Amino acid sequence: MPPAPKFQKHRLSLITLLFSVLATLLVCKAVSLAAVLSDKDALLQLKSAIVEDPLGFTSSWNPNDKDPCLWHGVSCDPLQGRVITLNLSSKLNSTCSVIQLSASKTAAVKGDQVRGNFTLLYPCLHVGVDDNISFVGLRGRLSPAIGHLTKLRVLSLGFNEFFGELPLEMGKLNLLEVLDLGFNAFHGPIPAALKKCTSLRVINLSGNQLNGTIPAIFGPITSLQVVEFSFNKLSGEIPNELGENCASLMHLHLASNGLSGSIPSNLGNCGELRSLILSSNILQNDIPSSLGKLENLEALDLSRNFLSGLVPPTLGDCKQLKLLVLKNNNGPLFSRKGSSFIFHQEEYGEGDYNFFKGELPESIVKLSGIHVLWLPNVNLEGIFPQTWGSCSNLKMLNVAQNFLTGQIPASFGNCKNLYFLDLSSNNLSGSLPVAIPVPCMVIFNISQNSFSGNISRFSHGECSNGSLNLSMSYMDLVGLYSSFFYRNALINVGSGPSLFSLSEFVVLHDFSRNQFTGSVPPFIISLYTLSAKLNYGFWLNGNNFEGNLSVYSFDPCLRLDGLFFDASNNKIVGELPLNMGHTCKCLKILSLASNEFVGSIPTSFADMVSLLKLNLSENRLRGRIPSYIGEMKEIRYLSLSNNNFSGAMPWDLVQLSWLEVLELSSNSLSGEILPDLAELKHLSVLRLDHNKLIGRIPFGFSNMTALSVFNVSFNNLTGSIPLNSISFNCESVKENPNLQPCRTDQSSSELERRHFGNISQGGRSPRENIQKNRSEFNQIEIASITSASGHRWFQSPKLHW
């Protein structure tokens, strides 16, 4: 029976519909395939613009492959097959995590895998130490073909060596959410076309050499959470636009540029802001009080600018604040000086000129969540804060080099987690509360004040282990700053990074230049739960300590990896401890100058094989300079001046091949100058004046290129004077009656005054003519002492470690 006409009509309609659907699917497949091919071509064009790929990031990008979604660094949408992620960041082991951004709630609802966590990375190669930095990764230009990847959501090319200008075609990526081009070599302006990328959540252009002003790109982008433009060469003012449309902004970092003008007050409108880093620019005027409206702010760094006025008390309204840095003389967190990058950054903010007035607001002191409070040399006045009841989270406090007066209150002992305290160079007085957990502190510096009384044993109870993580890679901004400040504290005391590996732990306690009395205090250190030996610096110089050091216990040395001990410029009497060398073989610096020690140098000193500096000058030591001093193979600085040593110079001195400073002035040494001293390649300072030396000045000294200071005046030398325009002049050889006449060189008079001053003029005794060094290495010592690897040691002119 033939089908009914109505049924045939329906079957025909169904067949037509099926053909239509099939045709549509074929068209969609063709379009999708065309899009994939377009993305593939764009990727291959990106590869063609790369001139070096030492790690083979793009070696798998084969033109013969049909699907580029399997290539290294490429991720595609599983439905459309379009490229949505391009991640070729090298992210070496030398990078540290600073900020972690979680996926948005919107993304979680949509199941979008693209909007995952974002991690902002910085180099963690001890910034400020000028280590050589080179990221071995891709090198080349960023091709304009990037604009063809129109479905791209994440573009991450950080820590490579991309150069050239940023292509304007990036403005076509209107779905782009994460733009991470940090730490490359891009130059030129930031493209204004980025304002078309209205989906951006993260824009990281840090660590390049971008210049020009910050363009007006933020108005149309309402979803921005991270703006990171630090470590570039940007100039002009911070655009007010940043504070007008910032409802989502969480992190604003513009450090180390050349930005000028004032800090926009409308940044106080950015209610979600977690970190505001504006350091190392040339910003001026007051800190806006409106920043106190940032209730979620955790990190604020305004250092290394030209800010002034009062420190606004409204900052105490930032209840979540963990880090506050208003001055930083250590330098920017990252610097390209000495790096092996193919470009060099123009340095802005070379110094920190922030100069405030008034007192430290009590509202800031009372912040219960503060971890790091860094306010050195900002002209703070008034009495040291007396209310510290809510400081249980405080870990680092630096208010050094201010004009604070008064005493440290007993309530300061409530800061149980404090491991870094610098109160140096103020006008503080009184005794130290025993409740302060000094033994638990990694850095403790109260030098250059007027503290008095005995240094009693401090209570510490259970020490926190939090400070032991200072040498590791950190997962937040506060940790990065903590590591930076700690490492720079080591540099400022003269202990260069070459002395300490990342696995080593260093503790520094400085009580110098106060008015402490009583006997020399024992080591104030807790060796509580340390799994490895540590290095300990203990400075007691420039006080009124007295007593006999021969009964002092150096037994804690047995648990140390190194000791830096300075008790110079006190009133200590008696002989040097006989067993010091046996007990404390780890000594690296020993300074007992300007005391009243008598007797000879103990034989146990021969066991101090790690010693780098020995200063026993300005005492009453006698006898011969012992030959076993030649066992100190690592020593760089040796001063025995202003004692009563007699006899000939021991030949063993010439075995000190690393010696840079040798001072034997103002003794009763006889015999001839050792000719082999001229073989010491590193010797830069040689002072032998005011002795009874005879014979000739060895002519080998005239060939010593490192020798910059030389003095053999007031001896009984004979013969001619070697010619060396750098170190030899008439002042350096005068009062040797049998020496051939010295021709006066008027041009050298300034050099003579600088190097020799008024030494032994008139009828003064040698001891009266030598100016006492009360606390720190003098400039000659600083310039001469080096670490074993050849790095120069530095000393802060302010901290006086």
Side-chain angles (χ1 to χ4, degrees):
M1 183 176 183
K6 185 176 182 180
F7 177 78
Q8 288 180 338
K9 183 177 181 180
H10 282 294
R11 185 172 67 174
L12 182 61
S13 298
L14 181 61
I15 293 173
T16 302
L17 179 62
L18 288 175
F19 272 109
S20 176
V21 170
L22 181 60
T24 301
L25 290 174
L26 289 175
V27 170
C28 290
K29 183 66 175 179
V31 171
S32 177
L33 183 60
V36 171
L37 291 176
S38 176
D39 285 356
K40 174 184 172 182
D41 291 340
L43 290 172
L44 291 176
Q45 289 184 52
L46 290 172
K47 179 179 179 178
S48 66
I50 296 173
V51 296
E52 294 180 14
D53 185 5
L55 299 180
F57 284 170
T58 61
S59 60
S60 64
W61 292 21
N62 191 334
N64 296 322
D65 292 339
K66 293 183 179 180
D67 187 2
C69 299
L70 300 178
W71 290 353
H72 172 77
V74 178
S75 298
C76 297
D77 185 300
L79 297 178
Q80 297 181 346
R82 297 294 306 276
V83 175
I84 56 175
T85 299
L86 180 58
N87 186 351
L88 297 176
S89 176
S90 61
K91 295 182 181 178
L92 304 178
N93 293 330
S94 57
T95 58
C96 287
S97 171
V98 176
I99 290 173
Q100 288 187 329
L101 194 66
S102 300
S104 65
K105 295 180 180 179
T106 304
V109 171
K110 293 181 178 180
D112 191 343
Q113 299 295 323
V114 178
R115 300 190 185 186
N117 295 339
F118 168 74
T119 301
L120 178 65
L121 299 175
Y122 278 177
C124 53
L125 293 175
H126 306 312
V127 181
V129 185
D130 290 343
D131 290 300
N132 286 335
I133 304 171
S134 180
F135 301 110
V136 181
L138 299 171
R139 183 171 183 270
R141 295 180 179 272
L142 180 57
S143 170
I146 191 69
H148 293 296
L149 301 176
T150 54
K151 298 296 182 180
L152 198 62
R153 303 287 186 87
V154 176
L155 176 60
S156 181
L157 304 177
F159 295 95
N160 286 292
E161 294 185 8
F162 282 100
F163 57 89
E165 295 191 358
L166 298 176
L168 301 178
E169 285 76 7
M170 287 195 301
K172 299 178 180 179
L173 306 177
N174 56 5
L175 297 180
L176 191 66
E177 298 180 18
V178 175
L179 175 61
D180 185 0
L181 306 179
F183 294 96
N184 280 280
F186 291 112
H187 68 264
I190 298 175
L194 287 177
K195 66 182 179 182
K196 300 178 182 178
C197 303
T198 54
S199 299
L200 274 173
R201 291 190 305 127
V202 175
I203 175 168
N204 176 21
L205 303 177
S206 60
N208 287 283
Q209 52 178 354
L210 300 170
N211 55 22
T213 60
I214 298 176
I217 61 175
F218 305 102
I221 308 176
T222 60
S223 55
L224 265 178
Q225 294 175 291
V226 177
V227 175
E228 171 59 271
F229 292 165
S230 299
F231 317 122
N232 280 287
K233 300 194 296 184
L234 300 172
S235 58
E237 298 187 357
I238 299 174
N240 279 316
E241 184 189 33
L242 269 170
E244 295 172 354
N245 191 18
C246 57
S248 300
L249 190 61
M250 299 173 66
H251 304 281
L252 176 59
H253 297 180
L254 305 175
S256 294
N257 283 286
L259 300 174
S260 58
S262 301
I263 299 173
S265 59
N266 61 3
L267 289 179
N269 299 330
C270 308
E272 294 298 319
L273 205 60
R274 304 294 198 274
S275 63
L276 177 60
I277 311 298
L278 304 178
S279 57
S280 297
N281 283 287
I282 48 178
L283 299 172
Q284 302 174 12
N285 301 321
D286 295 356
I287 299 174
S289 59
S290 60
L291 296 185
K293 296 190 297 182
L294 302 176
E295 297 180 353
N296 293 303
L297 192 67
E298 298 178 1
L300 176 62
D301 182 2
L302 305 177
S303 63
R304 302 183 68 76
N305 281 290
F306 292 80
L307 300 174
S308 58
L310 294 171
V311 177
T314 55
L315 292 181
D317 296 331
C318 302
K319 300 302 182 182
Q320 303 301 316
L321 200 62
K322 297 179 180 178
L323 170 76
L324 176 60
V325 182
L326 297 185
K327 194 150 188 176
N328 167 24
N329 286 315
N330 293 319
L333 283 179
F334 174 75
S335 172
R336 289 195 182 88
K337 284 185 177 179
S339 74
S340 55
F341 276 114
I342 59 173
F343 59 91
H344 298 281
Q345 181 186 22
E346 184 177 341
E347 293 297 329
Y348 291 105
E350 281 292 334
D352 195 328
Y353 300 98
N354 287 349
F355 195 73
F356 303 104
K357 60 183 180 181
E359 301 181 359
L360 175 62
E362 187 177 358
S363 60
I364 294 177
V365 176
K366 289 183 176 180
L367 284 170
S368 60
I370 197 78
H371 286 63
V372 178
L373 187 56
W374 206 262
L375 310 169
N377 195 22
V378 295
N379 197 38
L380 290 177
E381 301 174 333
I383 298 176
F384 184 81
Q386 301 294 296
T387 306
W388 294 92
S390 58
C391 62
S392 58
N393 289 310
L394 186 63
K395 296 181 179 180
M396 305 182 84
L397 172 63
N398 187 348
V399 290
Q401 305 163 54
N402 284 293
F403 300 94
L404 298 176
T405 60
Q407 301 185 22
I408 299 178
S411 62
F412 199 69
N414 295 325
C415 309
K416 299 297 184 182
N417 288 309
L418 191 65
Y419 63 78
F420 191 118
L421 175 64
D422 192 347
L423 306 179
S424 62
S425 301
N426 278 283
N427 298 314
L428 301 172
S429 59
S431 58
L432 297 178
V434 296
I436 298 178
V438 178
C440 299
M441 292 194 192
V442 180
I443 304 292
F444 178 80
N445 185 3
I446 59 169
S447 63
Q448 295 191 82
N449 280 285
S450 297
F451 291 111
S452 59
N454 293 328
I455 297 180
S456 57
R457 293 186 178 274
F458 295 91
S459 61
H460 56 86
E462 293 296 327
C463 292
S464 169
N465 292 333
S467 58
L468 299 181
N469 296 322
L470 278 169
S471 300
M472 302 176 67
S473 298
Y474 293 93
M475 299 304 292
D476 60 23
L477 198 58
V478 176
L480 177 71
Y481 273 87
S482 300
S483 177
F484 174 79
F485 289 141
Y486 170 63
R487 285 295 165 184
N488 274 281
L490 305 187
I491 298 168
N492 288 337
V493 305
S495 306
S498 57
L499 291 179
F500 311 112
S501 68
L502 285 176
S503 60
E504 287 182 310
F505 193 49
V506 185
V507 176
L508 307 173
H509 291 163
D510 191 347
F511 294 83
S512 66
R513 282 181 283 182
N514 280 283
Q515 299 173 17
F516 291 116
T517 56
S519 58
V520 179
F523 293 0
I524 304 175
I525 186 172
S526 173
L527 303 174
Y528 45 105
T529 56
L530 299 178
S531 58
K533 291 185 177 181
L534 56 82
N535 291 271
Y536 182 43
F538 195 30
W539 285 266
L540 303 170
N541 50 293
N543 282 285
N544 295 308
F545 293 118
E546 54 191 9
N548 195 319
L549 204 62
S550 61
V551 297
Y552 192 80
S553 175
F554 285 92
D555 290 343
C557 285
L558 299 175
R559 297 188 62 185
L560 297 176
D561 201 38
L563 174 65
F564 304 81
F565 185 76
D566 189 345
S568 61
N569 294 286
N570 280 288
K571 299 177 180 179
I572 308 171
V573 299
E575 296 186 345
L576 297 171
L578 293 178
N579 294 322
M580 181 187 294
H582 297 320
T583 308
C584 212
K585 297 179 181 180
C586 67
L587 260 165
K588 294 184 178 180
I589 291 180
L590 176 62
S591 181
L592 301 174
S594 299
N595 281 288
E596 298 295 331
F597 286 105
V598 298
S600 58
I601 300 177
T603 57
S604 67
F605 274 44
D607 293 333
M608 297 179 183
V609 293
S610 299
L611 205 61
L612 299 172
K613 174 190 174 180
L614 176 63
N615 188 356
L616 302 176
S617 64
E618 297 188 68
N619 282 286
R620 302 184 185 279
L621 299 172
R622 57 180 173 77
R624 290 178 174 269
I625 297 175
S627 60
Y628 46 78
I629 211 162
E631 298 297 320
M632 302 174 182
K633 302 296 185 182
E634 299 295 321
I635 199 163
R636 270 76 168 155
Y637 177 96
L638 175 62
S639 180
L640 304 177
S641 297
N642 263 65
N643 280 285
N644 296 313
F645 290 110
S646 58
M649 298 169 58
W651 178 86
D652 305 79
L653 289 173
V654 303
Q655 300 182 67
L656 306 178
S657 58
W658 290 102
L659 194 63
E660 299 185 10
V661 175
L662 177 60
E663 295 181 336
L664 304 177
S665 305
S666 300
N667 282 286
S668 298
L669 299 177
S670 58
E672 298 185 349
I673 300 174
L674 299 173
D676 288 346
L677 287 176
E679 301 299 321
L680 298 179
K681 299 179 180 179
H682 303 284
L683 192 65
S684 61
V685 177
L686 178 61
R687 296 183 185 274
L688 304 175
D689 55 278
H690 293 90
N691 280 289
K692 301 177 181 179
L693 299 173
I694 61 173
R696 293 178 172 272
I697 301 175
F699 277 90
F701 288 165
S702 62
N703 299 320
M704 297 181 68
T705 56
L707 192 64
S708 59
V709 176
F710 176 80
N711 196 344
V712 293
S713 61
F714 293 87
N715 280 286
N716 296 312
L717 301 173
T718 58
S720 58
I721 302 173
L723 298 177
N724 185 320
S725 60
I726 298 177
S727 58
F728 288 79
N729 51 61
C730 292
E731 284 292 315
S732 68
V733 298
K734 72 177 184 179
E735 299 300 329
N736 284 279
N738 298 317
L739 205 60
Q740 290 184 2
C742 178
R743 184 180 62 185
T744 302
D745 183 0
Q746 297 297 330
S747 64
S748 67
S749 59
E750 178 60 28
L751 177 68
E752 293 170 4
R753 284 195 297 271
R754 185 165 63 249
H755 282 174
F756 306 102
N758 296 318
I759 188 168
S760 298
Q761 293 180 356
R764 297 179 183 175
S765 68
R767 180 179 292 270
E768 291 173 332
N769 283 309
I770 294 181
Q771 181 181 6
K772 289 187 177 182
N773 181 351
R774 295 295 298 174
S775 62
E776 75 277 6
F777 297 159
N778 60 39
Q779 292 301 316
I780 294 172
E781 293 171 342
I782 297 169
S784 62
I785 298 180
T786 62
S787 65
S789 65
H791 289 281
R792 286 285 175 186
W793 288 16
F794 298 95
Q795 174 145 351
S796 166
K798 302 281 187 173
L799 294 180
H800 302 290
W801 287 101

